[in-house]
Amino acid sequence: MWQAMTSDTLDNRQAIEAAVVRVLNDQPVIDMHTHLYPPSFGTPVRSSAASADPKGLMLWGIDELLTYHYLIAELFRVVTPAELTPERYYAMSRQDQAETIWKHLFIERSPVSEACRGVLTTLQKLGLDTYHRNLDGFRTYFAEQDPNKYVDRVMALSKVESITMTNDVFDDNERQRWLDDPSIGEDPRFTAVLRFDQLIVDWPHAAGRMRDWGYDVADEPDDKTLAEVRRFLGEWFERTRSIYAAVSLPPTWRFPASCHGHGDTAARAKAGHDVLTGAILPACADANLPFAMMIGVKRGVNPALGGAGDMGFKSDIESVGRLCAEFPNNRFFVTMLARENQHELAVMARKFGNLMVFGCWWFLNNPTLIDEMTRMRMELLGTSFIPQHSDARVLDQLLYKWSHSRRILRNVLIDKYSDLVDTGWGLRVDDIKRDVRLLLHDNFTNFLKG
Ligand code: FIX
Ligand code: ZN
């Protein structure tokens, strides 16, 4: 027998829309991948309440927003080499760099790209006047902020409950800060993620560094070496209290390692494979930590552009499936950089409960592609994926990245719930609350628990 529709069910699109908007506005998100840091890691941004630490890692404020590497790449599409070379740009002060980007991308043409729009959404969310194009006015506002209180303000405005850092153990600046004072990681608003790309993509180099740090490792990863890598990871998991471990990988990454390519490349790939299977995955399993793989980035396609010169290419999803099958006791967060990989990745996630698809990474973090990917993932995976991470490098970017993504998620959910109600299903507000909580919060925390 059909049940009579009760008053708490939503039976038309307007009611669904109102409920989805309300629920999404109320649900805090855990941002599972950023490059943000708390004030304890130092900040290069001078303000009334903070003295500058030139190598500080906490980036925030208008000059950092304008010099985001996404915008540096856009700058070098519109300036001629006679006007400015990357070399000259990187030699400028941060303020001059910001002014150059402001002039070329915001004043001399309309800032319609997603990264430009993001700066404006950010300023608007802070209540600043985006109408009059007054860069110095923005600077005055930021100079008055206390970085510590500003973290609270940005998190409250963007409804981000927790910020997940990326803590690269091979970054000397960051590594030294942890060694000097492990309590820098104790800010309750932030959690750590140990990052170590070099262990897989450049083992000989990683081995050299580890030897400098007192670990007994060889260029060929033998049993003793693998035990040392496990010890190294265990120590750093503990020191940073990491909640998962992570690497980003090139599009050429294969599992098992490919034996093609010239001698050096094949040997490097084999070493990376051995370190992954003999040390990284066992260390993650021992510590009960998921392992995140961000696959598809080729670094330095245009080396002159520095961090703005990386590119994304298609990668191999069979490798992801083989890894999930061979390591059923490990859990894998995976995101991929090529649009062409997204469908296969979602289908692969249907085969493996230990594979959690997440985020619309970097060049995919554009409304058109977020919309397409989120719909497709929901159609294949229901609510069992993590739709977005911010990848913010500058604290204030949380404001635009999350508001833009929440808006897209809202549109997708309204359509999907409307389709559901068309089948006669009695949809309740509590159902929407539960689903949105899964998507923005609990799919992540549940996957961490295992
Ligand atoms: O490897 C990564 O974590 C990438 O997200 C970054 O390296 C990249 O520069 C970035 O900021 C993308 O959004
Ligand atoms: Zn990242």
Side-chain angles (χ1 to χ4, degrees):
M1 281 297 286
W2 293 108
Q3 285 225 309
M5 194 169 283
T6 62
S7 57
D8 66 345
T9 55
L10 303 161
D11 60 352
N12 65 72
R13 195 176 168 93
Q14 222 181 345
I16 292 169
E17 189 172 330
V20 168
V21 168
R22 207 172 52 244
V23 170
L24 262 175
N25 281 345
D26 289 350
Q27 177 58 55
V29 65
I30 299 184
D31 194 340
M32 69 160 283
H33 173 66
T34 78
H35 298 268
L36 301 177
Y37 296 87
S40 48
F41 286 72
T43 174
V45 180
R46 225 171 275 114
S47 81
S48 59
S51 53
D53 168 352
K55 289 194 164 165
L57 295 169
M58 179 195 167
L59 303 186
W60 62 286
I62 185 65
D63 291 333
E64 300 294 343
L65 284 169
L66 285 171
T67 54
Y68 188 28
H69 67 74
Y70 291 26
L71 290 173
I72 297 174
E74 290 175 32
L75 171 69
F76 284 100
R77 294 208 44 72
V78 302
V79 291
T80 62
E83 278 175 296
L84 186 64
T85 59
E87 207 186 349
R88 274 177 31 231
Y89 170 86
Y90 282 116
M92 290 159 95
S93 71
R94 188 51 54 99
Q95 278 209 344
D96 288 348
Q97 292 174 345
E99 272 158 33
T100 305
I101 289 185
W102 179 252
K103 169 176 174 294
H104 286 283
L105 297 184
F106 290 76
I107 302 302
E108 291 184 354
R109 43 187 57 75
S110 288
V112 290
S113 75
E114 175 64 6
C116 284
R117 171 188 170 224
V119 174
L120 300 177
T121 302
T122 301
L123 298 170
Q124 184 185 43
K125 295 271 168 204
L126 291 166
L128 299 174
D129 166 16
T130 47
Y131 186 84
H132 288 101
R133 309 181 182 192
N134 177 3
L135 179 56
D136 285 337
F138 303 140
R139 285 189 167 140
T140 307
Y141 167 83
F142 288 102
E144 285 163 0
Q145 304 306 310
D146 168 341
N148 193 45
K149 290 191 192 129
Y150 190 59
V151 173
D152 285 335
R153 177 158 159 74
V154 169
M155 290 177 80
L157 284 173
S158 53
K159 262 224 157 346
V160 171
E161 176 183 299
S162 175
I163 298 173
T164 315
M165 298 182 276
T166 296
N167 304 97
D168 186 351
V169 71
F170 289 102
D171 177 290
D172 288 332
N173 177 359
E174 176 167 352
R175 183 172 169 276
Q176 198 54 50
R177 289 174 194 265
W178 283 106
L179 291 174
D180 291 346
D181 178 10
S183 77
I184 54 173
E186 280 169 13
D187 191 312
R189 299 167 292 190
F190 291 76
T191 51
V193 166
L194 197 71
R195 172 84 173 244
F196 40 74
D197 300 3
Q198 292 182 29
L199 285 182
I200 297 182
V201 300
D202 194 358
W203 167 252
H205 180 75
R209 302 298 313 281
M210 286 183 62
R211 277 193 292 272
D212 292 344
W213 301 333
Y215 296 91
D216 184 6
V217 293
D219 281 346
E220 299 267 317
D222 52 15
D223 286 350
K224 166 81 188 154
T225 297
L226 294 174
E228 282 291 88
V229 179
R230 290 196 296 273
R231 179 167 76 90
F232 165 68
L233 291 175
E235 286 169 6
W236 277 93
F237 287 156
E238 209 176 297
R239 179 172 291 123
T240 56
R241 285 179 303 279
S242 283
I243 59 170
Y244 67 87
V247 292
S248 74
L249 296 169
T252 48
W253 176 77
R254 294 291 179 275
F255 181 81
S258 158
C259 46
H260 301 303
H262 67 87
D264 236 24
T265 315
R268 208 172 286 250
K270 164 91 172 58
H273 171 108
D274 293 348
V275 172
L276 174 64
T277 56
I280 296 172
L281 294 177
C284 287
D286 277 356
N288 193 27
L289 299 183
F291 180 55
M293 298 188 296
M294 309 179 62
I295 311 170
V297 56
K298 184 166 171 149
R299 305 281 177 194
V301 166
N302 182 350
L305 287 185
D310 302 343
M311 167 83 191
F313 290 102
K314 281 176 283 210
S315 304
D316 182 51
I317 291 166
E318 274 194 86
S319 291
V320 174
R322 282 194 285 263
L323 197 62
C324 292
E326 260 187 54
F327 290 87
N329 297 327
N330 282 91
R331 303 187 299 288
F332 300 91
F333 286 120
V334 175
T335 197
M336 298 184 89
L337 198 46
R339 179 192 193 182
E340 294 85 341
N341 280 142
Q342 300 309 320
H343 177 249
E344 255 182 70
L345 177 63
V347 176
M348 192 60 89
R350 294 170 64 90
K351 315 298 154 199
F352 294 100
N354 61 341
L355 169 57
M356 177 60 81
V357 173
F358 77 97
C360 304
W361 181 25
W362 203 342
F363 312 113
L364 300 172
N365 193 18
N366 297 310
T368 321
L369 299 174
I370 301 170
D371 185 84
E372 169 184 292
M373 285 167 62
T374 309
R375 282 175 200 278
M376 188 264 295
R377 286 169 170 178
M378 203 167 280
E379 286 158 15
L380 283 164
L381 299 169
T383 58
S384 69
F385 66 102
I386 297 171
Q388 192 54 304
H389 66 272
S390 77
D391 234 310
R393 283 184 175 267
V394 183
L395 175 75
D396 334 45
Q397 289 170 339
L398 293 176
L399 293 163
Y400 93 80
K401 299 225 186 199
W402 282 109
S403 85
H404 292 187
S405 287
R406 275 177 196 263
R407 184 195 283 207
I408 296 163
L409 185 57
R410 176 191 77 188
N411 295 340
V412 175
L413 284 173
I414 291 168
D415 286 349
K416 295 300 163 202
Y417 286 132
S418 298
D419 290 346
L420 206 54
V421 165
D422 281 349
T423 70
W425 183 253
L427 178 72
R428 296 174 172 80
V429 174
D430 281 348
D431 298 336
I432 300 180
K433 284 189 185 157
R434 176 205 53 210
D435 297 345
V436 168
R437 189 169 169 85
L438 285 171
L439 289 164
L440 294 184
H441 194 284
D442 288 358
N443 283 341
F444 178 66
T445 52
N446 291 340
F447 201 74
L448 288 184
K449 284 183 219 141

